[in-house]
Amino acid sequence: MRLLTVCLVMLALTVTLGCHGKKIRPLEEREQVEVEKQPKVPKAEREAEEKVPPIKPLEPVEQEQIILQSIHFDFDKYNLTDQAIATLTRNAEILLRHPDVRIVIEGHCDERGTDEYNLALGEKRAMAARDFLVRFGIEKSRISIVSYGEERPIDPSHNEEAWARNRRAEFVIR
Amino acid sequence: MRIFPWLLVILLATAAWAQPDVRLRVTREEYAAIRIAIADSTRGLQPSLENMHGNFLNHFNWALEVTGYLEIVTMNDEDKPQAIIILHASAGAASIAYEIRLVDHPSKATIFKRRYVCATETVRSTAYVAADDVIFALTGRYGIASSQIAFVAGKKPNSHLYVINLDGSGLRRLTSLPGIVMSPAWSPSGTKLAYVSYEKGKPDLYVVDLRTLSTTRFLAFDGLNATPAWSPDGKSLAVTLSKDGNPEIYVISIDGKSMRRVTFYSGIDCSPTWAPNGLEIAFTSDRTGSPQIFITDLDGISVRRITHQGSYNTSPAWSPEGDLIAYVSRIDGRFQICTVDPFGINVNVLTEIGNNEDPAWSPDGMHIAFSSTIGGKTGIYIMKKDGSFKRLIVEGFESARNPSWTRTTGLTASQREGS
């Protein structure tokens, strides 16, 4: 009983002091303003949305077509370029919205260099992409990786342009 | 005192590489071919055996010349023959007996004399055995005529694994369906091949027994199961696995009972190749920022870098004699075959034209097979270990590559008579 009394006194004091200082709008008023800014959605749905990390509301989830773009690498490298990070971020956001989707990341190389080293290089490229997605919050168990080395070029030409296209990690939905 | 154990290790390792061989060795300094003349004293063979005799001579000559360090010359003095092979054929019922005598010239001292018997179906192999005996007597090592090469061919990713004799005969396809297949590696006995196949959708390691053609999936860990290399005693395979989160080198016993990890680095470690003494492994690693060749002991403790030129050195292949490591180096934007000694000091660039990859040593340690675009299309070539005498040996396949070379087994001493 004593505790309750103390609390009530403190609450009264706070409200009184607050009113004397800066003028604060009543709680109900503030809520109304914020609600007006948002589209009118049932409360349950609003709460569900709030649980999802910072994602712009797109079309309804079930209508979104899942397109995961490939990322590209420099010659003999498996570190992620700025462009690759931007693409991976978009891919990660899509995967977060689709928690049921499982993927295979394929690591590929251009035709230059030895078959064996390129097999390992492709593996490292796939691993780099996977590790980024995992750090972004995608469960590791949703991702498997496979290296194809230089076995599966998408452009069979023998020039810089083709080589750049072939040095890639692809994201294939299982 | 602390330096003493290391000195001992170095001395022991050096001693192991330097084979105690007192026979005549063809060294780089005396790399000029040995000139030999063939004197055929055969007379009056019945016509039905003439053809067989002609075949024998063709195979015999080819086996001598394909070594690259024997040159067949005439008996004329201006050709300066250094040795003469005196060959005499005599007819049996459906066979020919050959008496072959190798004599020094001009001293006429007999180096060896031996009898060989062949029937129609054994003409080729008998000619190779006889030639190998001549080569051994002159150089201290057998030739390469009786050898075979495993390779991969086909437009990627639809390839097959093949085996072919060096003379182009005996082609066998070992895979039933086209797919991704790579890195065939002969066991030291030449009876088994380890290779990588995507038969189950990912790189797993298979072993096929050439005698029974039975294939087993030997390793199928998560991730890479790649780049197999048999230990010199044939009891273990060094491989690249990424099961622990990174491409690393492991040594696994063939009976599957033991596995040890040899490399410990967060980047790429791959392509192991054994020192012939079985104590060390050369491999490719990007631990210094670009792929380079390193040598490690089997504990992964003592590791040294042996390539220092350029920013791309891969695919090491340790020679059977231990003196050299062949590898691929990117020079001026193209890929070339080089050799370096195990101390990383003497480097030789052996190719200049096109892209050249996948070096593999001949069983005699005198030649290197490699895949090359020298002729415009990818094919398998061989050359002497100093880069001379380059010849296309696997023709008619779409991008033949990944050679592995072994001595042909099954040639028996029964073709020899006497000593």
Side-chain angles (χ1 to χ4, degrees), chain A residues 78 114 116 123-124 147 150, chain B residues 156 198 242 246 266 271 286:
Chain A
Y78 48 84
T114 46
E116 291 190 348
E123 183 86 351
K124 287 297 285 182
S147 171
E150 56 175 275
Chain B
K156 293 174 180 177
Y198 280 59
S242 60
N246 212 46
S266 60
S271 300
D286 72 335

Side-chain angles (χ1 to χ4, degrees), chain B residues 173-388:
Chain B
R173 197 181 79 191
L174 300 177
T175 43
S176 49
L177 294 170
I180 299 176
V181 55
M182 57 208 302
S183 308
W186 285 107
S187 65
S189 63
T191 55
K192 291 177 182 172
L193 265 177
Y195 63 98
V196 175
S197 167
Y198 280 59
E199 201 178 305
K200 306 274 184 197
K202 59 177 281 294
D204 293 328
L205 207 97
Y206 293 75
V207 174
V208 57
D209 189 321
L210 275 289
R211 295 163 300 190
T212 60
L213 290 182
S214 67
T215 303
T216 50
R217 192 157 65 128
F218 181 63
L219 292 177
F221 289 110
D222 277 352
L224 293 182
N225 298 267
T227 70
W230 296 83
S231 60
D233 64 6
K235 291 180 179 168
S236 307
L237 275 173
V239 295
T240 304
L241 305 176
S242 60
K243 68 184 182 68
D244 293 327
N246 212 46
E248 302 283 359
I249 292 166
Y250 299 75
V251 172
I252 295 174
S253 62
I254 294 300
D255 60 16
K257 285 182 181 162
S258 73
M259 179 192 304
R260 74 155 80 176
R261 183 169 162 181
V262 177
T263 58
F264 302 85
Y265 163 64
S266 60
I268 294 173
D269 291 317
C270 68
S271 300
T273 175
W274 292 80
N277 61 16
L279 297 177
E280 291 188 312
I281 286 173
F283 63 103
T284 307
S285 177
D286 72 335
R287 61 187 63 195
T288 48
S290 64
Q292 300 291 344
I293 314 293
F294 291 77
I295 291 177
T296 179
D297 59 13
L298 297 187
D299 295 322
I301 293 167
S302 172
V303 185
R304 65 183 190 273
R305 177 175 166 178
I306 58 161
T307 52
H308 301 278
Q309 294 167 333
S311 60
Y312 193 102
N313 297 305
T314 61
S315 286
W318 211 318
S319 74
E321 299 196 325
D323 56 340
L324 292 172
I325 290 159
Y327 62 98
V328 173
S329 186
R330 187 168 184 246
I331 301 170
D332 298 330
R334 287 187 173 273
F335 297 87
Q336 308 299 349
I337 309 289
C338 302
T339 55
V340 62
D341 61 54
F343 306 101
I345 295 166
N346 296 304
V347 175
N348 280 317
V349 182
L350 308 183
T351 54
E352 290 170 351
I353 307 163
N355 285 309
N356 305 277
E357 296 177 11
D358 309 331
W361 286 91
S362 61
D364 70 347
M366 295 295 283
H367 301 79
I368 296 169
F370 59 105
S371 63
S372 175
T373 59
I374 295 173
K377 289 196 291 185
T378 306
I380 293 174
Y381 290 72
I382 62 172
M383 62 182 165
K384 291 205 287 192
K385 67 176 178 180
D386 65 355
S388 64

